[in-house]
Amino acid sequence: MGLSVLETEREYNLCRAKLRDTENAWKSTVENITFGVKKVTDVSVLGLKMHPHIIDSEECCQLIISTDSEEDIELSKYLSNLEAQLILLNNEKEPTIENRSFALNRELNELDELYKQFIIQKSDVQQNYLLEKEQLESIQHRLNNVNTDLLENKDLKK
């Protein structure tokens, strides 16, 4: 009949070895993809399984990005949104010098007001420092006097 148990077993072992190699290669590839994607902040892969299988059109992998609005979006949609925002920004008119000048003058006035407030605070802090320093010197002077009196009283007691 031409059936050999040893031949069949050898074929079986070869097939199992190929299956193991394929599973290991698949797992390694998935890990490499996942590791590569994790290098990019807030991006993850969905739909990749750790065991080999045929990926059909209904079950495809997706790159998902976590955005500031706490909503996960598919990477292609996120890129489309960014491109739309870029187009809007490119279509905006540049501010005129008059508008820019008005805004800069307002900002200058605000910064000047902050500067004045800081100067006042600095003056207050310096005054408090000088008062504390005078109090400390006064306390040290009184302490020295008390120590001197203490020594004199000890001497008198003897």
Side-chain angles (χ1 to χ4, degrees):
M1 290 181 102
L3 295 176
S4 169
V5 173
L6 292 176
E7 272 300 309
T8 306
E9 189 173 324
R10 190 173 71 78
E11 290 266 336
Y12 175 77
N13 288 335
L14 283 175
C15 287
R16 285 189 51 86
K18 284 182 183 179
L19 179 63
R20 264 194 316 270
D21 290 344
T22 304
E23 286 175 345
N24 290 337
W26 180 277
K27 187 175 182 180
S28 174
T29 303
V30 168
E31 287 174 352
N32 287 339
I33 290 171
T34 305
F35 179 73
V37 168
K38 282 186 180 180
K39 287 182 182 177
V40 179
T41 308
D42 298 331
V43 177
S44 58
V45 178
L46 292 181
L48 276 180
K49 295 181 181 176
M50 292 304 280
H51 60 280
H53 66 284
I54 297 174
I55 301 174
D56 56 5
S57 60
E58 289 97 31
E59 178 196 8
C60 65
C61 303
Q62 295 178 342
L63 291 175
I64 303 296
I65 187 165
S66 298
T67 59
D68 293 336
S69 63
E70 298 179 13
E71 179 181 322
D72 293 345
I73 301 176
E74 190 177 349
L75 189 60
S76 60
K77 289 181 185 177
Y78 181 72
L79 291 175
S80 298
N81 291 344
L82 286 178
E83 288 171 353
Q85 288 177 0
L86 180 63
I87 290 170
L88 287 174
L89 289 173
N90 284 334
N91 290 336
E92 283 186 8
K93 293 183 179 178
E94 298 242 351
T96 62
I97 293 175
E98 295 158 354
N99 292 342
R100 191 83 173 122
S101 173
F102 179 73
L104 288 174
N105 280 332
R106 188 179 65 230
E107 185 178 351
L108 179 62
N109 290 336
E110 290 172 0
L111 290 173
D112 190 42
E113 189 64 33
L114 278 174
Y115 174 73
K116 288 176 184 176
Q117 289 175 1
F118 286 135
I119 292 295
I120 292 170
Q121 287 178 351
K122 178 186 169 203
S123 174
D124 289 344
V125 167
Q126 283 178 334
Q127 285 178 346
N128 287 338
Y129 170 74
L130 291 175
L131 285 174
E132 294 287 331
K133 185 177 176 183
E134 285 178 18
Q135 287 178 352
L136 179 63
E137 288 173 356
S138 172
I139 290 171
Q140 285 176 340
H141 180 69
R142 285 185 286 173
L143 183 63
N144 286 338
N145 288 339
V146 167
N147 284 334
T148 304
D149 287 346
L150 182 65
L151 284 174
E152 287 175 2
N153 286 333
K154 284 182 181 180
D155 287 342
L156 283 176
K157 186 178 180 182
K158 285 182 184 181

